Amino acid sequence: MNNTKKLKRRIQYIIVIPVVLALILMGMTIYENGFTSKIGIVSIILMALYIIFVIILYIRTAPEINSVMVEYSLEQGKIQRELLQEFEIPYAILDITGHIMWANDMFHRIVNVSEDKRIRKSVDTFFPELLPEVINVAEDLNLNITYNNRMYKVSIKRLDLSTVFDDGKDKKESKDDDIVLAMYLFDETDLRRVEQIASDQKLYAGLIYLDNYDEVMDALEDVKHSILTALIERKVNMYLSNIDAIVKHVENDKYFFVFKQKYMQTLREDKFSILDDVKNINVGNQIAMTLSIGIGSDSDEDVNGFATSYESARTAIGMAMGRGGDQAAVKIGDQVTYYGGKSAGTEKTTRVKARVKAQAFEELLLSKEKVIIMAHKRPDSDAFGSAVGIYRMVTAMGKKAYIVLNEITDAIKPIVNTFLVGNQYDGVFLKSNEAVSKVDQSTVLVVCDVNRPSMTECEELLSLVPTVVVFDHHRQSNESIQAATLSYIEPFASSACEMIAEMYQYMSKEPKLRNQEADAMYAGILIDTDNFLVKTGVRTFEAASFLRKSGADVTRVRKMFRSSIEEMKEKAKGISHAEVFMGHFCLSYVVADENAKDAPTVAVAKVANELLNVDNIKASFVVTEADDGILYVSARSIGDVNVQIVMERFGGGGHANVAGVQLKGKKKDEFFDELKEVLKEMDESGEL
């Protein structure tokens, strides 16, 4: 109807405008010639006759024009209605509650309702996703739904009838009665199927590394080497044939494979059973062979080619091995997911890596003049001892070295006090702000006993210093120090002090430790291994022996770290709170001491270690609620259970036998409830 009114108005303009122009022309003629000239009189009479003729013609044809306009309007409306009715796209008009007011034939066919019947139901009767609160929004809506095994894109447009019929004039606040919703259904089933096919054909790159190939082969009879290799290769080939992968054995202990994306879900659901299959191979080998898997691809949004997928696979395999091996890491874009990792890994007997890293570190320092060393916040004995060990390594090369130490906790106070006697270490220990002021282009930043930026003493230094070196024995997590110039992360080592002690023996000029420095490093190993009871290997004792030769006094260190009677009572209370869950897990809590200067983790760690002495206990979990609103959790185990993957469920991490997490705003009872559910789930799925 609005179009009809506009057309009628335009016809009126066509008639009126010539009349107005004739009147103007008549006035100009009278002005120029007056009524005395014959030409003027004739012109005026002709124009007057023209005007009278046009007016009479309009009056006589007006009813006929109106009739034609009405017929045109009705015919146009009929055509539009027929077009909508027979529209190939399902279309419906709804009120704001979702009730179907009108629908075309195609919509009737989609919902399987006869075309000659009016639909008297709400739209959510057919499409449960389209609830009134979903469709009644202030803006146009687009969403995807599935109906009768077909996939549709739903487009809902909001129309205000008051503005439509008022031709856009006199706009007023709309009422609900004036609002209708126009809904279109676009069938995208075939499009989605084609997109899925294209996505399924996308290639993923994968790498398989045998973690402890050299160690297993060295301990195995020579005649059995080929048998073990053949069995492993057969297991790998059979497993990857299930996903139609192309496999290439590139080295004795390395495989490269390529497969289609559609099989990725199969691997996820299978949880990479090849990890256990290879581990169960036994041809007389006393050490179980384990492998690491790295799978990579670019993100679904970014399609950068297969080269990017291969680089992601290389990163993933590095992260899997950096976490101790015996697990799979899947890197899709920036997201990394881990599978397996149940075993604590096999200790590396070779020191090749220590030698290579020591020589690389020495070469790096040749072109630098200054080194700043920092560990993690609230440093423990291993953090302080390894920092001191690096300090002596750097100064032995004639370079300046500083240690960032913001807080002296009770955990390191006895050993730190030995460094504060005299003036030998004046100016060595700096606060964060002092360390930042000493940064220049010739500075190297060494991070020890931590590889997570947020946990370092001064995270700002990581962005200020271009040359960063990382020495750590903790398994890597998704949060790690990026773009380190030199990185030596050895999850099989008992402590960072053990790693530094090994590197000493491969320096071109072996540093000579002072007695208190040797004590600090020995204390770091002693505390991290719980007096050589946890995560202790051959190399651990060799490092301790080296430190003993360098001047460490076992008795002196033991006296430094004896517990007070209050600490013994606190430990006893923690043990008294313990409960046994599922027959093998010990759960307890420690009440935080408001006057304690030590880190909250120290008390819970001691209780957790003590609970492992209980018969049949495989793992212990101890918590404390600190005044800062953070719940500190320490987890310990004896070989059978990997507590690291348990703590990763809560955002933490650590080692297979020693792990923890800090949870903000969570109470201990709430945590224990969640922990019990996690332990049940992981036990049922075989992840523990």
Side-chain angles (χ1 to χ4, degrees):
M1 293 298 292
N2 289 331
N3 290 336
T4 304
K5 291 179 180 179
K6 290 179 180 178
L7 184 58
K8 186 176 179 180
R9 194 176 299 117
R10 288 175 181 173
I11 292 174
Q12 290 174 343
Y13 289 157
I14 292 173
I15 296 172
V16 171
I17 289 174
V19 173
V20 173
L21 292 176
L23 290 173
I24 293 172
L25 185 58
M26 184 186 294
M28 292 176 63
T29 302
I30 294 172
Y31 178 77
E32 290 291 335
N33 301 304
F35 292 98
T36 58
S37 172
K38 290 182 179 181
I39 295 175
I41 294 172
V42 172
S43 300
I44 293 171
I45 293 172
L46 289 175
M47 282 186 282
L49 290 174
Y50 169 76
I51 293 171
I52 294 170
F53 173 78
V54 170
I55 293 173
I56 293 172
L57 180 64
Y58 174 72
I59 293 172
R60 295 193 63 179
T61 57
E64 188 176 345
I65 292 173
N66 289 336
S67 177
V68 171
M69 290 298 101
V70 171
E71 289 179 5
Y72 167 77
S73 177
L74 294 173
E75 189 67 25
Q76 186 187 46
K78 182 180 179 182
I79 293 172
Q80 290 177 347
R81 182 176 178 84
E82 288 179 357
L83 287 174
L84 283 175
Q85 194 70 41
E86 299 174 2
F87 201 29
E88 290 297 324
I89 297 175
Y91 175 80
I93 297 177
L94 320 173
D95 62 18
I96 59 173
T97 64
H99 183 78
I100 300 174
M101 302 169 63
W102 179 87
N104 68 352
D105 293 344
M106 184 58 72
F107 190 92
H108 281 79
R109 292 174 206 163
I110 291 294
V111 299
N112 199 24
V113 175
S114 177
E115 298 172 10
D116 57 354
K117 292 183 179 180
R118 179 182 172 187
I119 302 177
R120 301 180 181 276
K121 297 180 180 179
S122 180
V123 70
D124 59 351
T125 305
F126 306 103
F127 310 104
E129 300 95 332
L130 303 181
L131 296 170
E133 57 268 24
V134 174
I135 63 176
N136 187 20
V137 293
E139 300 177 353
D140 293 344
L141 180 67
N142 290 288
L143 68 160
N144 297 316
I145 64 170
T146 301
Y147 182 72
N148 284 346
N149 297 322
R150 305 291 293 180
M151 290 173 282
Y152 295 94
K153 175 186 174 183
V154 180
S155 179
I156 299 178
K157 299 188 180 298
R158 190 179 178 93
L159 302 177
D160 189 344
L161 297 181
S162 62
T163 59
V164 171
F165 289 117
D166 289 344
D167 199 21
K169 298 179 181 179
D170 301 327
K171 293 183 180 179
K172 299 178 182 178
E173 186 176 350
S174 301
K175 299 179 181 179
D176 289 344
D177 294 340
D178 296 329
I179 303 298
V180 295
L181 306 175
M183 184 178 77
Y184 303 84
L185 293 176
F186 300 97
D187 191 340
E188 295 186 341
T189 307
D190 295 335
L191 175 62
R192 303 270 187 87
R193 186 177 294 116
V194 171
E195 289 177 345
Q196 187 61 47
I197 292 173
S199 177
D200 289 343
Q201 299 302 313
K202 182 179 178 181
L203 293 180
Y204 277 22
L207 293 167
I208 296 178
Y209 288 3
L210 301 178
D211 300 322
N212 51 352
Y213 180 84
D214 293 332
E215 287 75 18
V216 173
M217 290 303 182
D218 289 344
L220 188 64
E221 298 176 34
D222 292 345
V223 294
K224 294 182 178 179
H225 285 188
S226 59
I227 299 174
L228 180 60
T229 302
L231 287 174
I232 292 172
E233 186 161 354
R234 183 171 180 271
K235 288 280 187 184
V236 170
N237 286 329
M238 287 183 63
Y239 183 77
L240 295 180
S241 67
N242 294 327
I243 59 171
D244 196 25
I246 300 173
V247 191
K248 178 67 176 177
H249 194 173
V250 291
E251 292 183 34
N252 288 337
D253 58 346
K254 294 180 177 64
Y255 296 84
F256 171 72
F257 63 99
V258 179
F259 66 100
K260 296 176 183 176
Q261 176 177 284
K262 66 179 180 179
Y263 294 109
M264 189 65 241
Q265 187 59 32
T266 302
L267 294 178
R268 293 182 191 275
E269 293 173 355
D270 181 64
K271 294 183 179 179
F272 295 88
S273 61
I274 184 66
L275 297 171
D276 293 327
D277 292 342
V278 170
K279 201 185 306 180
N280 293 331
I281 296 176
N282 192 325
V283 294
N285 48 303
Q286 296 179 348
I287 304 173
M289 182 74 78
T290 64
L291 56 80
S292 296
I293 302 174
I295 294 175
S297 175
D298 50 22
S299 63
D300 294 335
E301 293 79 13
D302 299 326
V303 182
N304 297 320
F306 186 70
T308 304
S309 298
Y310 177 67
E311 288 302 319
S312 295
R314 290 184 59 187
T315 303
I317 194 69
M319 299 182 79
M321 298 189 72
R323 288 163 54 85
D326 187 30
Q327 57 194 283
V330 180
K331 186 176 186 297
I332 310 298
D334 295 328
Q335 184 178 5
V336 183
T337 309
Y338 299 100
Y339 300 86
K342 292 185 286 185
S343 69
T346 304
E347 181 193 9
K348 300 289 185 182
T349 56
T350 176
R351 293 185 178 183
V352 174
K353 195 173 182 179
R355 175 178 57 80
V356 171
K357 298 297 182 180
Q359 293 174 353
F361 183 56
E362 193 171 11
E363 291 176 6
L364 182 66
L365 293 181
L366 292 176
S367 60
K368 303 294 181 181
E369 297 297 328
K370 189 187 306 178
V371 177
I372 297 177
I373 308 160
M374 71 172 176
H376 53 76
K377 297 174 183 176
R378 287 182 173 270
D380 55 15
S381 298
D382 188 33
F384 182 77
S386 57
V388 168
I390 296 169
Y391 166 81
R392 179 51 58 199
M393 189 186 300
V394 172
T395 54
M397 294 182 62
K399 309 293 181 179
K400 293 181 181 179
Y402 305 94
I403 299 175
V404 182
L405 186 63
N406 292 316
E407 181 181 6
I408 302 176
T409 62
D410 288 345
I412 61 172
K413 189 174 183 179
I415 198 72
V416 172
N417 286 339
T418 64
F419 286 80
L420 301 180
V421 177
N423 56 3
Q424 290 180 328
Y425 296 93
D426 288 348
V428 173
F429 302 106
L430 307 176
K431 300 292 184 182
S432 291
N433 58 339
E434 296 173 324
V436 170
S437 65
K438 290 187 176 295
V439 173
D440 55 33
Q441 292 300 316
S442 63
T443 303
V444 175
L445 175 65
V446 179
V447 181
C448 57
D449 199 36
V450 63
N451 58 59
R452 299 175 66 173
S454 61
M455 295 183 65
T456 57
E457 281 275 31
C458 182
E459 188 174 355
E460 183 183 358
L461 286 172
L462 294 171
S463 58
L464 293 177
V465 181
T467 306
V468 179
V469 178
V470 180
F471 297 130
D472 189 28
H473 68 113
H474 296 98
R475 291 189 175 193
Q476 287 181 288
S477 65
N478 289 346
E479 182 198 0
S480 59
I481 296 173
Q482 302 296 322
T485 306
L486 176 64
S487 181
Y488 181 20
I489 299 176
E490 183 57 88
F492 304 107
S494 67
S495 57
C497 287
E498 175 188 320
M499 296 169 58
I500 302 305
E502 286 184 344
M503 291 175 63
Y504 267 49
Q505 302 166 60
Y506 297 104
M507 303 291 289
S508 58
K509 182 180 179 181
E510 185 176 318
K512 183 168 180 58
L513 288 165
R514 294 172 179 168
N515 289 344
Q516 62 264 50
E517 294 169 347
D519 284 350
M521 295 183 69
Y522 181 82
I525 296 176
L526 192 70
I527 298 301
D528 262 28
T529 59
D530 190 22
N531 293 312
F532 299 100
L533 294 176
V534 179
K535 205 172 175 58
T536 305
V538 174
R539 291 167 64 177
T540 308
F541 288 111
E542 290 176 348
S545 175
F546 168 78
L547 294 173
R548 180 69 184 88
K549 293 176 184 177
S550 299
D553 189 308
V554 179
T555 303
R556 187 165 60 229
V557 172
R558 183 179 178 185
K559 287 181 179 179
M560 289 181 189
F561 293 95
R562 287 185 295 181
S563 301
S564 65
I565 189 65
E566 287 77 15
E567 289 175 329
M568 295 298 291
K569 290 179 179 179
E570 187 178 26
K571 186 191 297 184
K573 288 180 181 178
I575 296 172
S576 67
H577 295 150
E579 67 164 307
V580 178
F581 178 67
M582 294 176 63
H584 300 293
F585 305 108
C586 221
L587 281 59
S588 186
Y589 66 92
V590 174
V591 179
D593 185 359
E594 297 179 358
N595 299 319
K597 296 180 181 179
D598 212 349
T601 53
V602 174
V604 294
K606 290 179 179 179
V607 175
N609 286 329
E610 196 67 32
L611 289 174
L612 290 179
N613 294 322
V614 179
D615 190 28
N616 291 327
I617 294 301
K618 296 180 179 179
S620 61
F621 301 89
V622 183
V623 305
T624 186
E625 295 174 331
D627 293 336
D628 54 8
I630 297 177
L631 186 74
Y632 293 87
V633 184
S634 278
R636 299 290 186 271
S637 73
I638 301 182
D640 297 328
V641 175
N642 187 337
V643 291
Q644 182 210 7
I645 61 176
V646 178
M647 290 294 96
E648 283 183 344
R649 290 289 191 96
F650 298 91
H655 295 288
N657 304 120
V658 180
V661 66
Q662 299 177 12
L663 302 171
K664 191 171 184 178
K666 184 163 293 200
K667 299 298 181 182
K668 65 179 179 62
D669 293 335
E670 182 183 355
F671 167 75
F672 281 138
D673 289 340
E674 293 180 13
L675 177 63
K676 290 176 180 179
E677 291 298 322
V678 168
L679 291 174
K680 285 181 182 178
E681 177 192 337
M682 296 182 72
D683 184 60
E684 291 172 358
S685 62
E687 293 182 60
L688 286 178

